[in-house]
Each structure stands twice: as structure tokens, then as C-alpha cells.
């Protein structure tokens, strides 16, 4: 059973051990006996979480807006796929030394 925090309007804050099914219900103040609503005065203690779960939460927080990529190249990349075959260049070399990329964007300037 978890420990919940309550706040009595006459006596102030107190903690009580309650069943999870009664999380939304008020508790009796141990001093005066009046009903006191549940409040959250301190941050939840997650130190009892295993290290694997804690690492998983940290990973999810880091990748929330920009996921980590394992490789910069896509599947079937010639440089790191391990196929052993060199990818055929699509660059066309002319006799005067200029280069052309026939399958690429024609407006791109060659370097």
C-alpha cells in the first residue's frame, strides 16, 4: 500500500498508508478526525525503481524530440553494408575533365 499525503484544514499536512483503490477519497485526520483531502506536497519517490527502468526512462527523455540514429546511412549502403562490392559511380567523366551527374538534379553545379 502506498503512502499518500493529506492536508487537514485545522491541523495541517499528514501522511497515511492507504489502499490504492482509495487514492481519490479523503482520509481522517489522525489529530482531530475530520476528513482531509489528498494533496501532493512532495515529488514522488522513484528511487525504488530498478536501474534498468531508470535507464529506460532517461533514454526516452533524451529521444523525446530527436531520436538517436544508429547509422547515418540507410539499408543497403555500399560503404557500411558489408556486401564487399563497390557501388558503381553514377558520375559521367567527359574527355575535357568536366563531370556530369546524368541521374541527379541537372541544375546542381559539380564540384
Amino acid at each position: 500500500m502506498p503512502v499518500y499525503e493529506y492536508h487537514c484544514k485545522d491541523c495541517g499536512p499528514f501522511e497515511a498508508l492507504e489502499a490504492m483503490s482509495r487514492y481519490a477519497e479523503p482520509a481522517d485526520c489522525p489529530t482531530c478526525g475530520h476528513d482531509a483531502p489528498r494533496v501532493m506536497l512532495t515529488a514522488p519517490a522513484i528511487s525504488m525503481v530498478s536501474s534498468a527502468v531508470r535507464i529506460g526512462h532517461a533514454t526516452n527523455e533524451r529521444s523525446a524530440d530527436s531520436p538517436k540514429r544508429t547509422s547515418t546511412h540507410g539499408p543497403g549502403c555500399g560503404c557500411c553494408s558489408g556486401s564487399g562490392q563497390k557501388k558503381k559511380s553514377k558520375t559521367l567523366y567527359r574527355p575535357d575533365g568536366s563531370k556530369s551527374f546524368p541521374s541527379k538534379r541537372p541544375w546542381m553545379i559539380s564540384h
Side-chain angles (χ1 to χ4, degrees), residues 84-102:
Q85 297 178 9
K86 187 173 180 181
K87 209 174 196 181
K88 185 180 176 188
S89 174
K90 295 186 179 183
T91 305
L92 176 66
Y93 293 94
R94 296 201 175 109
D96 63 351
S98 64
K99 295 188 286 184
S100 174
F101 304 94

Side-chain angles (χ1 to χ4, degrees), residues 19-87:
M20 289 180 74
S21 60
R22 297 195 58 211
Y23 77 95
E25 298 175 18
D28 294 332
C29 176
T31 308
C32 66
H34 289 106
D35 281 346
R38 181 173 165 236
V39 294
M40 293 185 76
L41 300 173
T42 58
I46 58 172
S47 63
M48 302 304 283
V49 175
S50 70
S51 63
V53 172
R54 195 170 30 251
I55 290 169
H57 284 290
T59 302
N60 286 342
E61 285 298 317
R62 276 196 314 271
S63 66
D65 60 349
S66 58
K68 182 180 177 183
R69 297 183 66 178
T70 57
S71 174
T72 57
H73 306 279
C77 173
C79 69
C80 56
S81 66
S83 63
Q85 297 178 9
K86 187 173 180 181
K87 209 174 196 181

